[in-house]
Amino acid sequence: MNTQSLSRRRFMQGTAGSVVLAGVGMPFLGAQQAFAADLSQQELRTVGLSVTVQERILNDFKAASGVKAVSGKADIFPNTQTELLSGSTAYDCWETIAERLPSIVQTDLVAPIPTASLKNWTGVGESFLKASEKWEPRAQIVGQIWNDESQTALNMVPTVYNFDSIGFRPDLVDAEEAAMWSSLFDPKFKGKTGLNVDPLIAFGQAIMAMNEMGMLEVPNPGNPDAAAIEEAAKFLIAKKKEGQFRALWGDFGELVNLMASGEMILADAWQPAVMAVKAQGVQCSYATMKNGYRGWAIGVSALKSSPNFDAVVAYADYWLSGPPAVAVSEQGYYSPNDKVKAIMAPEKYAFWYEGAPWVGAEERGIKEGDLRDGGSLATRAANVAYWHQWPDEYDLLMQKWDEFLSA
């Protein structure tokens, strides 16, 4: 695989980024699988967002696999990246996001996981196996996770993915307006919009908006060139000085509270945050973006320093077995593996994956007959503007982000 040349100094620089999410309540059915290795003398120490690092998932894995102990730490990606690159050996795996893989692959911290050791690898979706002609391979998830071109080993076993959008208050913002990335920067909504504090997210959104407004023509906002970064930084700084943003949010609860109160009516958001606002009885929707979503994937990366490699492989395989995918699917995410269909209640799978109306009692603000915002998985996957990736000009992007924060 081709990966970009990276600066260790910038690897080490922490940035406030994606935050942890609380899991939704649902008992697991138990993983129906057997693990080849004798795991009774191994343990699993994992770190990642609490999207995936959930106590009930770890406990269910322990029961299914027979490992002697499990532990998990929830932390944002930049913090863990800094910790690992500082030499920490406290974990066996990092449940990371694919765009940050180069930071640990090029520093030789990853032990690739052979697909032959994953019993549940069959059924993984085409996005993770075959490159689309729409982008060069490294600009999409399939070009980021593999250790080799023959696809026999993975630097990251994908476990969760989604296509991100804008969360908005439909009682205060028209759906057609919210469907444009440029709405985040529209003076009409001055003081009422929000951006995530992760620069790899915020710069891409600014560039998408500038593309829409005819200010730039960047074909891949996930990997802007130096000139585009310079222009996007000027744009972001100008908007900040004008008071466009109510908040640069870095906390899930903060985002939910600001949107529920109406202090923020348009924001870069995650679908679970939109659902959390709805659960409070407040109107909130996830926009269907006219010019496409932002695609990303989280997965398990085995760390070379770990003495518990077999446990990590079993953990990654367990994620693909079905039960953990139920939890993340009901948060608004997707499993890369089709085995979730056999584990999830049929009517819920139909709602979350196939675009069918909600059936049954109201749950977390979802009522009988409601549809998932954006439609089915196939419909949303066909409307991806770009996949997140580690940009070639990462050092410059970080320098300009620092200037934006200081402005």
Side-chain angles (χ1 to χ4, degrees):
M1 285 181 61
N2 292 323
T3 49
Q4 298 90 334
S5 176
L6 305 169
S7 161
R8 182 174 181 83
R9 178 177 63 84
R10 282 301 184 180
F11 278 160
M12 303 298 291
Q13 181 171 348
T15 59
S18 304
V19 298
V20 299
L21 304 181
V24 296
M26 176 182 170
F28 283 116
L29 303 177
Q32 302 301 313
Q33 66 186 96
F35 297 96
D38 178 10
L39 302 177
S40 62
Q41 299 306 308
Q42 294 206 2
E43 61 181 309
L44 181 84
R45 303 164 300 163
T46 188
V47 61
L49 300 187
S50 64
V51 168
T52 56
V53 182
Q54 299 182 28
E55 184 177 357
R56 61 208 177 92
I57 291 177
L58 288 170
N59 288 340
D60 198 59
F61 166 68
K62 183 176 184 296
S65 65
V67 294
K68 68 176 180 179
V70 295
S71 61
K73 175 184 173 182
D75 204 349
I76 60 175
F77 297 127
N79 288 353
T80 303
Q81 179 176 297
T82 299
E83 189 176 358
L84 293 176
L85 291 167
S86 296
S88 173
T89 58
Y91 315 108
D92 302 302
C93 62
W94 182 18
E95 298 182 52
T96 185
I97 195 164
E99 68 202 60
R100 292 188 179 272
L101 268 177
S103 70
I104 55 172
V105 171
Q106 288 202 353
T107 50
D108 198 31
L109 298 182
V110 173
I113 296 178
T115 55
S117 67
L118 300 169
K119 295 180 177 62
N120 295 301
W121 183 247
T122 56
V124 168
E126 190 173 87
S127 294
F128 302 91
L129 301 172
K130 183 179 179 182
S132 167
E133 295 180 357
K134 187 175 180 180
W135 307 281
E136 63 173 320
R138 70 182 180 130
Q140 51 193 301
I141 191 63
V142 69
Q144 298 171 13
I145 60 176
W146 291 98
N147 180 67
D148 58 334
E149 292 185 1
S150 58
Q151 296 187 350
T152 62
L154 291 149
N155 288 325
M156 185 192 89
V157 179
T159 57
V160 178
Y161 73 110
N162 203 9
F163 311 112
D164 280 1
S165 177
I166 288 176
F168 69 102
R169 289 280 302 269
D171 53 332
L172 302 172
V173 181
D174 183 79
E176 289 189 12
E177 290 180 300
M180 302 294 289
W181 291 106
S182 52
S183 67
L184 294 172
F185 307 95
D186 190 333
K188 177 179 179 179
F189 305 115
K190 181 179 176 179
K192 296 282 189 178
T193 70
L195 293 181
N196 188 285
V197 293
D198 186 336
L200 297 185
I201 295 174
F203 262 92
Q205 291 173 337
I207 290 168
M208 285 285 286
M210 296 174 78
N211 280 350
E212 289 176 354
M213 294 185 285
M215 299 173 67
L216 287 175
E217 293 184 7
V218 179
N220 178 10
N223 191 22
D225 63 18
I229 291 172
E230 295 276 1
E231 290 303 311
K234 292 176 186 175
F235 177 72
L236 283 167
I237 289 170
K239 287 297 179 180
K240 181 182 178 183
K241 289 182 175 179
E242 291 169 8
Q244 180 66 28
F245 312 119
R246 169 60 182 83
L248 302 177
W249 65 272
D251 177 80
F252 179 78
E254 177 189 15
L255 171 63
V256 172
N257 291 337
L258 286 169
M259 294 202 71
S261 69
E263 294 179 63
M264 200 158 66
I265 61 177
L266 277 162
D268 155 49
W270 294 308
Q271 200 153 27
V274 170
M275 290 174 55
V277 175
K278 290 178 67 174
Q280 296 183 29
V282 177
Q283 293 186 50
C284 198
S285 298
Y286 211 41
T288 300
M289 304 310 292
K290 181 179 179 180
N291 294 307
Y293 304 107
R294 297 182 289 103
W296 56 266
I298 290 171
V300 173
S301 287
L303 299 174
K304 191 171 287 188
S305 61
S306 168
N308 300 301
F309 180 75
D310 289 341
V312 174
V313 173
Y315 183 60
D317 202 31
Y318 165 73
W319 264 102
L320 297 173
S321 69
V326 175
V328 294
S329 295
E330 293 194 344
Q331 289 177 265
Y333 298 117
Y334 297 116
S335 170
N337 191 289
D338 63 7
K339 289 177 174 56
V340 66
K341 187 173 184 178
I343 300 294
M344 205 169 188
E347 66 277 7
K348 289 188 175 182
Y349 182 87
F351 174 81
W352 290 111
Y353 282 83
E354 297 176 338
W358 182 264
V359 175
E362 180 177 342
E363 192 173 304
R364 301 190 311 280
I366 309 171
K367 301 176 183 178
E368 183 88 27
D370 282 356
L371 298 173
R372 176 173 179 157
D373 292 334
S376 68
L377 169 57
T379 299
R380 298 184 77 225
N383 187 30
V384 177
Y386 69 96
W387 286 88
H388 281 270
Q389 69 179 97
W390 191 278
D392 292 338
E393 298 289 345
Y394 179 74
D395 278 3
L396 176 63
L397 188 149
M398 291 303 301
Q399 175 191 329
K400 293 301 175 181
W401 183 251
D402 291 344
E403 292 177 10
F404 167 71
L405 293 177
S406 300

